[in-house]
Amino acid sequence: MPSFSTLFVTITAALLVRGADNSTDSSNTTDTTIATDTLTSGNSYGAPLTPWEQGTTPGWYYGDNPDNLPDSLTDLPWLQDSYLCWLLEQQNDGFQCPTSPSSDGYTQLFSNLTGATEAVDYMTYGLVDTVEACKAMCDSVNGCIFVNSYHDVNGKNGSPLLTCSLFSQCHSAADSINRGGQTQPDGSIDYITNSDGYCKQKCSCSA
Ligand SMILES: *[C@@H]1O[C@H](CO)[C@@H](O)[C@H](O)[C@H]1NC(C)=O
Ligand SMILES: *[C@@H]1O[C@H](CO)[C@@H](O)[C@H](O)[C@H]1NC(C)=O
Ligand SMILES: *[C@@H]1O[C@H](CO)[C@@H](O)[C@H](O)[C@H]1NC(C)=O
């Protein structure tokens, strides 16, 4: 337990750092370079703990407005930062910033469930603004053929954004067994709503 004065100094220092960082382009070259180190295949592209594990955090944000990220996740790599996207291209590890809308060859396998997909072929997960953005992400990750988007209510410190998790095999409603239940830093328990699943293959899989 830090003493009050230690805490005070820490918070003040944090505020000073924030206050000094006043440029409209909030990307910091050093931070951005560090981000590409986490966005590797061996690290599940920044989300080595699956969405159904306690203490997990998303690996990236693909959306229009980083200001909508919850306070605890403001450092999440933003996949519309042109420098970060350029670095990811150079890194060439199967994970790119989407550059166009999804191919939309997707078939919806389930909709509006209160459970999220839990399966061993998990690849990575992040936050997005829309289901369309989640599909575009899947198109930008090598081997991805299935997206599961949902609201993690109370999770991710109250983020209103959609969670977008990506898989290398398609899944039916039967695998939507993650119903949340993780205790959040504020003591609340998360739960899942609006869980949708889309498979990219011309589907012989059953819904
Ligand atoms: C912050 O931005 C304002 C206006 O854009 C500018 O006048 C000021 O010098 C900046 N401060 C720092 C610390 O860069
Ligand atoms: C950028 O981030 C690094 C690492 O977090 C930090 O050491 C550095 O001071 C930051 N630079 C600016 C200009 O904010
Ligand atoms: C989704 O399910 C919830 C109940 O879990 C229901 O209230 C809501 O109307 C449903 N939405 C749609 C679009 O079907």
Side-chain angles (χ1 to χ4, degrees), residues 2-3 8 13 19 37 43 48 54 66 75 77 81-82 114 160 175:
S3 71
F8 180 75
D37 289 345
N43 192 43
Q54 182 73 42
D75 290 340
D81 176 305
S82 53
T114 53
D175 294 329

Side-chain angles (χ1 to χ4, degrees), residues 37-190:
D37 289 345
T38 74
L39 295 174
T40 59
S41 51
N43 192 43
S44 299
Y45 303 112
L49 291 181
T50 64
W52 53 93
E53 286 173 273
Q54 182 73 42
T56 181
T57 53
W60 36 267
Y61 169 58
Y62 176 58
D64 290 339
N65 201 343
D67 291 342
N68 289 344
L69 289 169
D71 288 346
S72 61
L73 296 174
T74 50
D75 290 340
L76 219 52
W78 182 37
L79 300 182
Q80 290 191 31
D81 176 305
S82 53
Y83 180 57
L84 173 62
C85 292
W86 181 81
L87 285 174
L88 287 170
E89 267 174 48
Q90 312 312 307
Q91 186 161 280
N92 193 24
D93 191 16
F95 182 93
Q96 303 294 329
C97 298
T99 51
S100 54
S102 77
S103 56
D104 216 357
Y106 287 85
T107 305
Q108 185 158 19
L109 296 189
F110 56 84
S111 69
N112 204 27
L113 300 180
T114 53
T117 304
E118 188 171 323
V120 292
D121 56 298
Y122 162 78
M123 300 183 78
T124 181
Y125 83 103
L127 298 176
V128 295
D129 296 347
T130 63
V131 173
E132 164 58 35
C134 188
K135 292 176 185 170
M137 277 307 299
C138 186
D139 287 352
S140 304
V141 177
N142 278 7
C144 179
I145 61 163
F146 180 75
V147 314
N148 176 220
S149 61
Y150 55 94
H151 282 115
D152 188 355
V153 183
N154 297 334
K156 322 294 169 272
N157 290 18
S159 169
L161 300 173
L162 280 173
T163 298
C164 169
S165 52
L166 306 181
F167 295 83
S168 62
Q169 293 174 34
C170 292
H171 294 277
S172 70
D175 294 329
S176 300
I177 54 177
N178 168 23
R179 299 191 171 268
Q182 299 166 4
T183 305
Q184 304 302 308
D186 66 2
S188 64
I189 310 282
D190 77 323

Side-chain angles (χ1 to χ4, degrees), residues 19-23:
D21 181 15
N22 172 10
S23 60

